[in-house]
Coordinates of all heavy atoms in Angstrom, one line a residue:
I28 N 1.4 12.6 1.5 CA 1.7 12.2 2.9 C 3.2 12.0 3.1 O 3.6 11.8 4.3 CB 0.9 11.0 3.3 CG1 1.2 9.8 2.5 CG2 -0.6 11.4 3.3 CD1 0.3 8.6 2.9
G29 N 4.0 12.0 2.1 CA 5.5 12.0 2.2 C 6.1 10.6 2.0 O 6.9 10.4 1.1
F30 N 5.6 9.6 2.7 CA 6.1 8.3 2.6 C 5.2 7.3 3.3 O 4.3 7.7 4.1 CB 7.6 8.1 3.2 CG 7.6 8.4 4.6 CD1 7.3 7.5 5.6 CD2 8.0 9.7 5.1 CE1 7.4 7.8 7.0 CE2 8.1 10.0 6.4 CZ 7.8 9.1 7.4
V31 N 5.3 6.0 3.0 CA 4.5 5.0 3.6 C 5.4 3.9 4.2 O 6.2 3.3 3.5 CB 3.5 4.4 2.5 CG1 2.7 3.3 3.2 CG2 2.6 5.4 2.0
Q32 N 5.2 3.7 5.5 CA 6.1 2.7 6.2 C 5.7 1.3 5.8 O 4.5 1.0 5.6 CB 6.0 2.9 7.7 CG 6.9 1.9 8.4 CD 7.0 2.1 9.9 OE1 6.7 3.2 10.4 NE2 7.4 1.1 10.7
V33 N 6.7 0.5 5.6 CA 6.5 -0.9 5.2 C 6.7 -1.8 6.4 O 7.7 -1.6 7.2 CB 7.5 -1.3 4.1 CG1 7.3 -2.8 3.7 CG2 7.3 -0.5 2.9
D34 N 5.8 -2.7 6.7 CA 5.9 -3.6 7.8 C 5.3 -5.0 7.4 O 4.4 -5.0 6.7 CB 5.3 -3.1 9.1 CG 5.7 -3.8 10.3 OD1 6.8 -3.6 10.8 OD2 4.9 -4.7 10.8
S35 N 5.9 -6.0 8.0 CA 5.5 -7.4 7.6 C 4.3 -7.9 8.4 O 3.6 -8.9 7.9 CB 6.7 -8.3 7.9 OG 7.0 -8.4 9.3
I36 N 3.9 -7.3 9.5 CA 2.8 -7.9 10.3 C 1.5 -7.8 9.5 O 1.2 -6.7 8.9 CB 2.7 -7.1 11.6 CG1 3.9 -7.3 12.5 CG2 1.4 -7.6 12.4 CD1 4.0 -6.5 13.7
N37 N 0.8 -8.9 9.5 CA -0.4 -9.0 8.6 C -1.6 -9.5 9.3 O -2.3 -10.4 8.8 CB -0.1 -9.8 7.4 CG -1.1 -9.7 6.3 OD1 -1.8 -8.7 6.2 ND2 -1.1 -10.7 5.4
T38 N -1.9 -9.0 10.5 CA -3.0 -9.5 11.3 C -4.3 -9.1 10.6 O -5.3 -9.9 10.7 CB -3.0 -8.9 12.7 OG1 -3.0 -7.5 12.6 CG2 -1.8 -9.4 13.5
V39 N -4.4 -8.0 9.9 CA -5.5 -7.6 9.1 C -5.0 -7.3 7.7 O -5.5 -7.8 6.7 CB -6.3 -6.4 9.7 CG1 -7.4 -5.9 8.8 CG2 -6.9 -6.8 11.1
A40 N -4.1 -6.3 7.6 CA -3.4 -6.0 6.3 C -2.1 -5.4 6.7 O -1.9 -4.9 7.8 CB -4.3 -5.0 5.5
R41 N -1.1 -5.5 5.8 CA 0.2 -4.9 6.1 C 0.1 -3.4 6.2 O -0.8 -2.8 5.6 CB 1.2 -5.4 5.1 CG 1.5 -6.9 5.2 CD 2.7 -7.3 4.5 NE 3.1 -8.6 4.9 CZ 2.9 -9.7 4.2 NH1 2.3 -9.6 3.0 NH2 3.3 -10.9 4.6
A42 N 1.0 -2.8 7.0 CA 1.0 -1.4 7.3 C 0.8 -0.5 6.1 O 0.0 0.4 6.1 CB 2.2 -1.0 8.1
H43 N 1.6 -0.7 5.1 CA 1.6 0.2 3.9 C 0.2 0.1 3.2 O -0.3 1.1 2.7 CB 2.7 -0.2 3.0 CG 2.9 -1.6 2.7 ND1 3.4 -2.5 3.7 CD2 2.7 -2.4 1.6 CE1 3.5 -3.7 3.2 NE2 3.0 -3.7 2.0
D44 N -0.4 -1.1 3.2 CA -1.7 -1.2 2.5 C -2.8 -0.6 3.4 O -3.7 0.1 2.9 CB -2.0 -2.7 2.3 CG -1.1 -3.3 1.3 OD1 -0.7 -2.6 0.3 OD2 -0.7 -4.5 1.4
M45 N -2.7 -0.8 4.7 CA -3.7 -0.2 5.6 C -3.6 1.3 5.6 O -4.6 2.0 5.6 CB -3.4 -0.7 7.0 CG -4.4 -0.4 8.0 SD -5.7 -1.6 8.0 CE -6.8 -1.0 9.3
I46 N -2.4 1.9 5.5 CA -2.2 3.4 5.5 C -2.9 3.9 4.3 O -3.7 4.9 4.4 CB -0.7 3.7 5.5 CG1 -0.1 3.4 6.8 CG2 -0.5 5.2 5.1 CD1 1.4 3.4 6.8
L47 N -2.8 3.3 3.2 CA -3.4 3.8 1.9 C -4.9 3.6 1.9 O -5.7 4.4 1.5 CB -2.7 3.2 0.7 CG -1.2 3.6 0.6 CD1 -0.5 2.7 -0.5 CD2 -1.0 5.0 0.3
W48 N -5.3 2.4 2.4 CA -6.8 2.1 2.4 C -7.5 3.0 3.3 O -8.7 3.4 3.0 CB -7.0 0.7 2.9 CG -8.4 0.3 3.0 CD1 -9.2 -0.1 2.0 CD2 -9.2 0.3 4.2 NE1 -10.5 -0.4 2.5 CE2 -10.5 -0.1 3.8 CE3 -8.9 0.6 5.5 CZ2 -11.5 -0.2 4.8 CZ3 -10.0 0.6 6.4 CH2 -11.2 0.1 6.1
S49 N -7.0 3.4 4.4 CA -7.7 4.3 5.4 C -7.9 5.7 4.8 O -8.8 6.4 5.3 CB -6.9 4.4 6.7 OG -5.7 5.0 6.5
R50 N -7.2 6.0 3.7 CA -7.4 7.3 3.0 C -8.2 7.2 1.7 O -8.8 8.2 1.3 CB -6.0 7.9 2.8 CG -5.3 8.4 4.0 CD -3.8 8.5 3.9 NE -3.2 9.1 5.0 CZ -2.9 8.5 6.1 NH1 -3.2 7.2 6.3 NH2 -2.3 9.2 7.1
R51 N -8.1 6.1 1.1 CA -8.8 5.9 -0.2 C -9.3 4.4 -0.2 O -8.5 3.5 -0.5 CB -7.9 6.1 -1.4 CG -7.3 7.5 -1.5 CD -8.3 8.5 -2.0 NE -7.7 9.8 -2.2 CZ -7.5 10.7 -1.3 NH1 -7.8 10.5 -0.1 NH2 -6.9 11.8 -1.6
Q52 N -10.5 4.2 0.2 CA -10.9 2.8 0.4 C -11.2 2.0 -0.9 O -11.5 0.8 -0.8 CB -12.2 2.8 1.3 CG -11.8 3.2 2.7 CD -12.8 3.0 3.8 OE1 -13.9 2.6 3.5 NE2 -12.4 3.2 5.0
S53 N -11.0 2.7 -2.0 CA -10.9 1.9 -3.3 C -9.6 1.3 -3.5 O -9.4 0.5 -4.5 CB -11.3 2.8 -4.5 OG -10.4 3.8 -4.6
Y54 N -8.6 1.6 -2.7 CA -7.2 1.1 -2.9 C -7.2 -0.4 -2.7 O -7.8 -1.0 -1.9 CB -6.3 1.7 -1.8 CG -5.0 1.0 -1.7 CD1 -4.0 1.3 -2.7 CD2 -4.7 0.1 -0.7 CE1 -2.8 0.6 -2.6 CE2 -3.5 -0.6 -0.6 CZ -2.6 -0.3 -1.6 OH -1.4 -1.0 -1.5
R55 N -6.4 -1.0 -3.6 CA -6.0 -2.4 -3.5 C -4.5 -2.6 -3.8 O -3.9 -1.9 -4.6 CB -6.8 -3.3 -4.5 CG -8.3 -3.3 -4.2 CD -8.7 -3.9 -2.9 NE -10.1 -4.0 -2.6 CZ -10.8 -3.1 -1.9 NH1 -10.1 -2.0 -1.5 NH2 -12.0 -3.2 -1.6
P56 N -3.9 -3.5 -3.1 CA -2.4 -3.7 -3.1 C -1.8 -3.8 -4.5 O -0.7 -3.3 -4.7 CB -2.1 -4.9 -2.3 CG -3.3 -4.9 -1.3 CD -4.5 -4.4 -2.1
P57 N -2.4 -4.4 -5.5 CA -1.8 -4.5 -6.8 C -1.5 -3.1 -7.4 O -0.5 -2.9 -8.2 CB -2.8 -5.2 -7.7 CG -3.5 -6.1 -6.7 CD -3.6 -5.3 -5.5
A58 N -2.2 -2.1 -7.1 CA -2.0 -0.7 -7.6 C -0.7 -0.2 -7.1 O 0.1 0.5 -7.8 CB -3.1 0.2 -7.2
L59 N -0.3 -0.5 -5.8 CA 1.0 0.0 -5.3 C 2.1 -0.8 -5.9 O 3.1 -0.3 -6.3 CB 1.0 -0.2 -3.8 CG 2.2 0.2 -3.1 CD1 2.5 1.7 -3.2 CD2 2.2 -0.1 -1.6
K60 N 1.9 -2.1 -6.1 CA 2.9 -3.0 -6.7 C 3.2 -2.5 -8.1 O 4.4 -2.5 -8.5 CB 2.4 -4.4 -6.7 CG 3.4 -5.5 -7.0 CD 2.8 -6.9 -6.9 CE 3.8 -8.0 -7.1 NZ 4.8 -8.1 -6.0
R61 N 2.2 -2.1 -8.8 CA 2.5 -1.6 -10.2 C 3.4 -0.3 -10.2 O 4.4 -0.2 -11.0 CB 1.2 -1.2 -10.9 CG 1.4 -0.7 -12.3 CD 0.1 -0.5 -13.1 NE 0.4 0.0 -14.4 CZ 0.6 -0.8 -15.5 NH1 0.6 -2.1 -15.3 NH2 0.9 -0.3 -16.7
L62 N 3.1 0.6 -9.3 CA 4.0 1.8 -9.2 C 5.4 1.5 -8.8 O 6.3 2.1 -9.2 CB 3.4 2.8 -8.2 CG 2.0 3.4 -8.6 CD1 1.5 4.4 -7.5 CD2 2.1 4.1 -10.0
L63 N 5.5 0.5 -7.9 CA 6.9 0.1 -7.5 C 7.6 -0.7 -8.5 O 8.8 -0.4 -8.8 CB 6.8 -0.7 -6.2 CG 6.5 0.0 -4.9 CD1 5.9 -0.9 -3.8 CD2 7.7 0.7 -4.4
E64 N 7.0 -1.7 -9.1 CA 7.7 -2.7 -9.9 C 7.6 -2.5 -11.4 O 8.5 -3.1 -12.1 CB 7.2 -4.1 -9.5 CG 7.4 -4.4 -8.0 CD 6.8 -5.7 -7.6 OE1 6.4 -6.5 -8.5 OE2 6.8 -6.0 -6.4
K65 N 6.7 -1.7 -11.9 CA 6.6 -1.5 -13.3 C 6.8 -0.1 -13.7 O 7.7 0.2 -14.5 CB 5.2 -2.0 -13.8 CG 5.0 -3.5 -13.7 CD 3.7 -3.9 -14.3 CE 3.5 -5.4 -14.2 NZ 2.2 -5.9 -14.8
D66 N 6.0 0.8 -13.1 CA 6.2 2.3 -13.4 C 7.5 2.8 -12.9 O 8.1 3.8 -13.4 CB 5.1 3.1 -12.9 CG 3.7 2.7 -13.5 OD1 3.7 1.8 -14.4 OD2 2.7 3.3 -13.1
R67 N 8.0 2.2 -11.8 CA 9.2 2.7 -11.1 C 9.1 4.2 -10.6 O 10.1 4.9 -10.5 CB 10.5 2.5 -12.0 CG 10.8 1.1 -12.4 CD 11.0 0.2 -11.3 NE 11.6 -1.1 -11.7 CZ 11.7 -2.2 -11.0 NH1 11.3 -2.1 -9.7 NH2 12.2 -3.3 -11.4
S68 N 7.9 4.6 -10.3 CA 7.8 6.0 -9.8 C 7.9 6.0 -8.3 O 7.9 7.1 -7.7 CB 6.4 6.5 -10.2 OG 5.3 5.8 -9.7

């Protein structure tokens, strides 16, 4: 999908998490955090 916008509003879930969940409902935020902060991919 190219990129995922980051936004702070959290009325239900933050934008980046909602974008990924709407495509893969097994998604949970720690999986993204790992790619960003540990794998550095």
Side-chain angles (χ1 to χ4, degrees):
I28 61 181
F30 59 85
V31 176
Q32 184 172 339
V33 178
D34 193 77
S35 62
I36 296 173
N37 194 19
T38 56
V39 175
R41 291 198 167 101
H43 44 290
D44 293 323
M45 190 86 179
I46 290 165
L47 297 170
W48 176 83
S49 64
R50 289 158 171 81
R51 299 287 185 275
Q52 291 192 353
S53 63
Y54 166 78
R55 293 298 181 268
L59 181 63
K60 194 174 182 70
R61 180 178 182 86
L62 294 180
L63 283 162
E64 299 177 9
K65 293 185 178 180
D66 296 357
R67 300 299 192 193
S68 61

